[in-house]
Amino acid sequence: MSSDEVYRRIYDNPKFQALVKKRGRFAWTLSALMMLAYYGFVCLIAFDPKLLGTRIQPDAVLTWGIPGGIGLILLCFILTGIYVQRANGEFDREVRQILEEAGQ
């Protein structure tokens, strides 16, 4: 069987089409969450800088902007971890099933 035939069988498989849609929806959802958090943080800086510049405690040096920025970075790592875990688990299992059905 030629590689073109295998590619055609994979592409025509309804499970493959469903996987592409599911993976795309999941990736766009995580991207939207990250963009909302990032642009929300930037909007806070732009429209209410005093809020992020407020000290956590009156005698503290640390302002609310520092934990907010660190939280944003941590959110990025967490969302990436969620994607990697699902991609290496559920999505990889589905890919293996599709390849087996295609004759690989």
Side-chain angles (χ1 to χ4, degrees):
M1 182 180 325
S2 73
S3 60
D4 289 338
E5 292 173 26
V6 173
Y7 294 147
R8 176 58 49 200
R9 290 177 74 181
I10 291 170
Y11 186 78
D12 290 340
N13 189 329
K15 289 181 183 179
F16 175 75
Q17 298 297 329
L19 173 63
V20 168
K21 287 180 185 177
K22 183 178 7 175
R23 191 180 63 195
R25 239 185 348 262
F26 184 62
W28 278 110
T29 300
L30 294 180
S31 296
L33 286 172
M34 191 65 227
M35 287 174 58
L36 283 171
Y38 177 75
Y39 287 114
F41 188 73
V42 170
C43 285
L44 271 176
I45 293 169
F47 297 113
D48 196 5
K50 288 183 181 180
L51 177 67
L52 294 177
T54 304
R55 293 175 186 226
I56 292 178
Q57 293 180 350
D59 58 339
V61 177
L62 193 64
T63 65
W64 285 108
I66 300 299
I70 292 171
L72 192 62
I73 293 168
L74 290 176
L75 177 65
C76 182
F77 281 109
I78 289 168
L79 292 179
T80 301
I82 290 169
Y83 182 82
V84 168
Q85 183 179 16
R86 189 164 179 197
N88 288 344
E90 176 186 347
F91 296 154
D92 278 356
R93 276 192 302 276
E94 291 181 28
V95 166
R96 279 192 296 275
Q97 289 174 352
I98 292 167
L99 288 175
E100 287 172 6
E101 290 176 12
Q104 278 290 349

